[in-house]
Amino acid sequence: VGSEMCIRDSILSYPDPRLHTVAKPVAVVDDRIRALAADMIETMYDSKGVGLAATQVNVHERLLVMDVSEEHNQPMVLINPELLWASKERIKNEEGCLSVPGIYDGGERPVSIKVRALDEKGQSRTVDAEGILAVCIQHEMDHLMGKVFVEYLSPLKRDRIKTKLLKAQREAERD
Ligand code: GNR
Ligand code: NI
């Protein structure tokens, strides 16, 4: 049997139209939000991802989790993140996405950014980010706006990715 639920099933896969939903701000950081964040952190670790946006688990609220540490022991929760500043300098990154399995590509993004967000206690903080952390925060904030990284690629590449993933999804359903 191949019908058991796997952790992947809780993450939406491109081109699922729900990935294009614009998330609403979190109204209060309460136990419901903390439980959601804890659940997303677990899903992120189980899926070997460095970040996860609520959009990807079909929850359309402005919440994202990340852990770019080597030891996978520094989870970060960003609630209602706002971009305060982005460098003019941009860089092309190789990005991956749990919602676009097996595809690694990407467009240009600012090298460094400054973001304000609430943490899981509801406290406001700012984060200065560069390198993989900056890429990851921007990638996750895009998800909250309903944007997937393949939208930075050419329409031709995007169509090829769409076709490939739809075919893989149909094959997975048949098994
Ligand atoms: O696990 C992930 N790796 C990654 C690599 C380069 C740029 C962005 C990312 S985020 C991704 C997890 C994910 O899909 N988050 O939305
Ligand atoms: Ni992603």
PDB file of all heavy atoms in Angstrom, residues 48-53 56 94-99 132 135-136 139-140 143, ligand 1:
ATOM      1  N   LYS A  48      13.365  18.332   6.394  1.00  0.00           N
ATOM      2  CA  LYS A  48      14.730  18.792   6.100  1.00  0.00           C
ATOM      3  C   LYS A  48      14.748  20.159   5.421  1.00  0.00           C
ATOM      4  O   LYS A  48      15.588  20.424   4.567  1.00  0.00           O
ATOM      5  CB  LYS A  48      15.485  17.786   5.196  1.00  0.00           C
ATOM      6  CG  LYS A  48      15.331  16.332   5.612  1.00  0.00           C
ATOM      7  CD  LYS A  48      16.295  15.945   6.701  1.00  0.00           C
ATOM      8  CE  LYS A  48      16.140  14.473   7.103  1.00  0.00           C
ATOM      9  NZ  LYS A  48      15.960  14.345   8.557  1.00  0.00           N
ATOM     10  N   GLY A  49      13.836  21.019   5.818  1.00  0.00           N
ATOM     11  CA  GLY A  49      13.820  22.371   5.263  1.00  0.00           C
ATOM     12  C   GLY A  49      14.488  23.338   6.227  1.00  0.00           C
ATOM     13  O   GLY A  49      14.611  23.058   7.419  1.00  0.00           O
ATOM     14  N   VAL A  50      14.918  24.495   5.703  1.00  0.00           N
ATOM     15  CA  VAL A  50      15.491  25.517   6.576  1.00  0.00           C
ATOM     16  C   VAL A  50      14.460  26.590   6.927  1.00  0.00           C
ATOM     17  O   VAL A  50      14.729  27.475   7.732  1.00  0.00           O
ATOM     18  CB  VAL A  50      16.750  26.180   5.972  1.00  0.00           C
ATOM     19  CG1 VAL A  50      17.869  25.159   5.826  1.00  0.00           C
ATOM     20  CG2 VAL A  50      16.459  26.853   4.638  1.00  0.00           C
ATOM     21  N   GLY A  51      13.281  26.500   6.325  1.00  0.00           N
ATOM     22  CA  GLY A  51      12.225  27.463   6.621  1.00  0.00           C
ATOM     23  C   GLY A  51      10.881  26.894   6.229  1.00  0.00           C
ATOM     24  O   GLY A  51      10.817  25.920   5.469  1.00  0.00           O
ATOM     25  N   LEU A  52       9.828  27.471   6.768  1.00  0.00           N
ATOM     26  CA  LEU A  52       8.473  27.054   6.386  1.00  0.00           C
ATOM     27  C   LEU A  52       7.532  28.219   6.675  1.00  0.00           C
ATOM     28  O   LEU A  52       7.573  28.820   7.748  1.00  0.00           O
ATOM     29  CB  LEU A  52       8.045  25.816   7.193  1.00  0.00           C
ATOM     30  CG  LEU A  52       6.742  25.129   6.763  1.00  0.00           C
ATOM     31  CD1 LEU A  52       6.871  24.466   5.391  1.00  0.00           C
ATOM     32  CD2 LEU A  52       6.313  24.082   7.805  1.00  0.00           C
ATOM     33  N   ALA A  53       6.694  28.546   5.685  1.00  0.00           N
ATOM     34  CA  ALA A  53       5.703  29.606   5.861  1.00  0.00           C
ATOM     35  C   ALA A  53       4.338  28.955   6.087  1.00  0.00           C
ATOM     36  O   ALA A  53       4.060  27.877   5.546  1.00  0.00           O
ATOM     37  CB  ALA A  53       5.661  30.488   4.610  1.00  0.00           C
ATOM     38  N   GLN A  56       2.305  27.364   3.309  1.00  0.00           N
ATOM     39  CA  GLN A  56       2.640  26.038   2.786  1.00  0.00           C
ATOM     40  C   GLN A  56       1.887  24.913   3.488  1.00  0.00           C
ATOM     41  O   GLN A  56       1.773  23.818   2.952  1.00  0.00           O
ATOM     42  CB  GLN A  56       4.157  25.788   2.911  1.00  0.00           C
ATOM     43  CG  GLN A  56       4.973  26.699   2.023  1.00  0.00           C
ATOM     44  CD  GLN A  56       6.450  26.507   2.268  1.00  0.00           C
ATOM     45  OE1 GLN A  56       7.009  27.050   3.208  1.00  0.00           O
ATOM     46  NE2 GLN A  56       7.101  25.704   1.439  1.00  0.00           N
ATOM     47  N   GLU A  94      20.710  30.074  -5.503  1.00  0.00           N
ATOM     48  CA  GLU A  94      20.082  28.793  -5.823  1.00  0.00           C
ATOM     49  C   GLU A  94      19.090  28.527  -4.701  1.00  0.00           C
ATOM     50  O   GLU A  94      19.486  28.373  -3.544  1.00  0.00           O
ATOM     51  CB  GLU A  94      21.150  27.714  -5.863  1.00  0.00           C
ATOM     52  CG  GLU A  94      20.577  26.349  -6.102  1.00  0.00           C
ATOM     53  CD  GLU A  94      21.186  25.687  -7.336  1.00  0.00           C
ATOM     54  OE1 GLU A  94      21.189  26.325  -8.403  1.00  0.00           O
ATOM     55  OE2 GLU A  94      21.662  24.562  -7.205  1.00  0.00           O
ATOM     56  N   GLU A  95      17.809  28.538  -5.017  1.00  0.00           N
ATOM     57  CA  GLU A  95      16.793  28.313  -3.991  1.00  0.00           C
ATOM     58  C   GLU A  95      16.110  26.976  -4.200  1.00  0.00           C
ATOM     59  O   GLU A  95      15.971  26.503  -5.313  1.00  0.00           O
ATOM     60  CB  GLU A  95      15.740  29.440  -4.032  1.00  0.00           C
ATOM     61  CG  GLU A  95      16.349  30.791  -3.733  1.00  0.00           C
ATOM     62  CD  GLU A  95      15.324  31.917  -3.598  1.00  0.00           C
ATOM     63  OE1 GLU A  95      14.182  31.648  -3.178  1.00  0.00           O
ATOM     64  OE2 GLU A  95      15.695  33.060  -3.912  1.00  0.00           O
ATOM     65  N   GLY A  96      15.695  26.401  -3.086  1.00  0.00           N
ATOM     66  CA  GLY A  96      14.863  25.204  -3.128  1.00  0.00           C
ATOM     67  C   GLY A  96      13.600  25.523  -2.362  1.00  0.00           C
ATOM     68  O   GLY A  96      13.535  26.532  -1.663  1.00  0.00           O
ATOM     69  N   CYS A  97      12.580  24.698  -2.489  1.00  0.00           N
ATOM     70  CA  CYS A  97      11.330  24.952  -1.780  1.00  0.00           C
ATOM     71  C   CYS A  97      10.631  23.631  -1.518  1.00  0.00           C
ATOM     72  O   CYS A  97      10.525  22.797  -2.420  1.00  0.00           O
ATOM     73  CB  CYS A  97      10.430  25.863  -2.618  1.00  0.00           C
ATOM     74  SG  CYS A  97       8.886  26.287  -1.787  1.00  0.00           S
ATOM     75  N   LEU A  98      10.169  23.458  -0.283  1.00  0.00           N
ATOM     76  CA  LEU A  98       9.459  22.222   0.065  1.00  0.00           C
ATOM     77  C   LEU A  98       8.176  22.082  -0.752  1.00  0.00           C
ATOM     78  O   LEU A  98       7.671  20.975  -0.910  1.00  0.00           O
ATOM     79  CB  LEU A  98       9.147  22.200   1.568  1.00  0.00           C
ATOM     80  CG  LEU A  98      10.389  22.138   2.474  1.00  0.00           C
ATOM     81  CD1 LEU A  98       9.998  22.372   3.931  1.00  0.00           C
ATOM     82  CD2 LEU A  98      11.110  20.808   2.315  1.00  0.00           C
ATOM     83  N   SER A  99       7.662  23.183  -1.290  1.00  0.00           N
ATOM     84  CA  SER A  99       6.456  23.135  -2.122  1.00  0.00           C
ATOM     85  C   SER A  99       6.788  22.942  -3.603  1.00  0.00           C
ATOM     86  O   SER A  99       5.872  22.862  -4.428  1.00  0.00           O
ATOM     87  CB  SER A  99       5.634  24.420  -1.943  1.00  0.00           C
ATOM     88  OG  SER A  99       5.169  24.513  -0.609  1.00  0.00           O
ATOM     89  N   ILE A 132      22.387  33.206   3.704  1.00  0.00           N
ATOM     90  CA  ILE A 132      21.262  32.276   3.595  1.00  0.00           C
ATOM     91  C   ILE A 132      20.062  32.734   4.433  1.00  0.00           C
ATOM     92  O   ILE A 132      18.913  32.542   4.038  1.00  0.00           O
ATOM     93  CB  ILE A 132      21.691  30.818   3.968  1.00  0.00           C
ATOM     94  CG1 ILE A 132      20.517  29.830   3.898  1.00  0.00           C
ATOM     95  CG2 ILE A 132      22.341  30.738   5.323  1.00  0.00           C
ATOM     96  CD1 ILE A 132      20.006  29.546   2.506  1.00  0.00           C
ATOM     97  N   VAL A 135      18.162  35.249   2.365  1.00  0.00           N
ATOM     98  CA  VAL A 135      17.462  34.570   1.259  1.00  0.00           C
ATOM     99  C   VAL A 135      16.216  33.881   1.810  1.00  0.00           C
ATOM    100  O   VAL A 135      15.120  33.989   1.260  1.00  0.00           O
ATOM    101  CB  VAL A 135      18.366  33.506   0.580  1.00  0.00           C
ATOM    102  CG1 VAL A 135      17.617  32.819  -0.565  1.00  0.00           C
ATOM    103  CG2 VAL A 135      19.648  34.122   0.087  1.00  0.00           C
ATOM    104  N   CYS A 136      16.413  33.178   2.919  1.00  0.00           N
ATOM    105  CA  CYS A 136      15.327  32.392   3.499  1.00  0.00           C
ATOM    106  C   CYS A 136      14.171  33.290   3.972  1.00  0.00           C
ATOM    107  O   CYS A 136      13.009  33.008   3.670  1.00  0.00           O
ATOM    108  CB  CYS A 136      15.894  31.554   4.634  1.00  0.00           C
ATOM    109  SG  CYS A 136      14.708  30.359   5.227  1.00  0.00           S
ATOM    110  N   HIS A 139      12.339  34.512   0.957  1.00  0.00           N
ATOM    111  CA  HIS A 139      11.616  33.383   0.352  1.00  0.00           C
ATOM    112  C   HIS A 139      10.319  33.107   1.148  1.00  0.00           C
ATOM    113  O   HIS A 139       9.252  32.929   0.566  1.00  0.00           O
ATOM    114  CB  HIS A 139      12.558  32.172   0.339  1.00  0.00           C
ATOM    115  CG  HIS A 139      11.969  30.894  -0.146  1.00  0.00           C
ATOM    116  ND1 HIS A 139      12.375  30.274  -1.312  1.00  0.00           N
ATOM    117  CD2 HIS A 139      11.023  30.075   0.389  1.00  0.00           C
ATOM    118  CE1 HIS A 139      11.681  29.149  -1.475  1.00  0.00           C
ATOM    119  NE2 HIS A 139      10.861  28.998  -0.452  1.00  0.00           N
ATOM    120  N   GLU A 140      10.424  33.105   2.476  1.00  0.00           N
ATOM    121  CA  GLU A 140       9.241  32.827   3.324  1.00  0.00           C
ATOM    122  C   GLU A 140       8.244  33.988   3.279  1.00  0.00           C
ATOM    123  O   GLU A 140       7.039  33.771   3.252  1.00  0.00           O
ATOM    124  CB  GLU A 140       9.649  32.566   4.779  1.00  0.00           C
ATOM    125  CG  GLU A 140      10.666  31.460   5.008  1.00  0.00           C
ATOM    126  CD  GLU A 140      10.387  30.172   4.287  1.00  0.00           C
ATOM    127  OE1 GLU A 140       9.220  29.921   3.919  1.00  0.00           O
ATOM    128  OE2 GLU A 140      11.345  29.416   4.067  1.00  0.00           O
ATOM    129  N   HIS A 143       6.158  33.665   0.285  1.00  0.00           N
ATOM    130  CA  HIS A 143       5.072  32.688   0.456  1.00  0.00           C
ATOM    131  C   HIS A 143       3.855  33.354   1.108  1.00  0.00           C
ATOM    132  O   HIS A 143       2.715  33.124   0.696  1.00  0.00           O
ATOM    133  CB  HIS A 143       5.515  31.531   1.367  1.00  0.00           C
ATOM    134  CG  HIS A 143       6.252  30.422   0.670  1.00  0.00           C
ATOM    135  ND1 HIS A 143       5.729  29.736  -0.405  1.00  0.00           N
ATOM    136  CD2 HIS A 143       7.455  29.852   0.926  1.00  0.00           C
ATOM    137  CE1 HIS A 143       6.599  28.793  -0.785  1.00  0.00           C
ATOM    138  NE2 HIS A 143       7.663  28.850   0.006  1.00  0.00           N
TER     139      HIS A 143
HETATM  140  O1  GNR B   1      14.495  24.282   2.775  1.00  0.00           O
HETATM  141  C1  GNR B   1      14.571  25.299   2.075  1.00  0.00           C
HETATM  142  N1  GNR B   1      15.774  25.658   1.568  1.00  0.00           N
HETATM  143  C2  GNR B   1      16.004  26.855   0.925  1.00  0.00           C
HETATM  144  C3  GNR B   1      17.183  26.986   0.201  1.00  0.00           C
HETATM  145  C4  GNR B   1      17.465  28.163  -0.456  1.00  0.00           C
HETATM  146  C5  GNR B   1      16.579  29.208  -0.382  1.00  0.00           C
HETATM  147  C6  GNR B   1      15.396  29.091   0.316  1.00  0.00           C
HETATM  148  C7  GNR B   1      15.112  27.923   0.967  1.00  0.00           C
HETATM  149  S1  GNR B   1      13.637  27.776   1.882  1.00  0.00           S
HETATM  150  C8  GNR B   1      13.360  26.065   1.773  1.00  0.00           C
HETATM  151  C9  GNR B   1      12.172  25.646   2.607  1.00  0.00           C
HETATM  152  C10 GNR B   1      10.924  26.272   2.054  1.00  0.00           C
HETATM  153  O2  GNR B   1      10.339  25.879   1.092  1.00  0.00           O
HETATM  154  N2  GNR B   1      10.485  27.330   2.651  1.00  0.00           N
HETATM  155  O3  GNR B   1       9.407  27.975   2.181  1.00  0.00           O
END
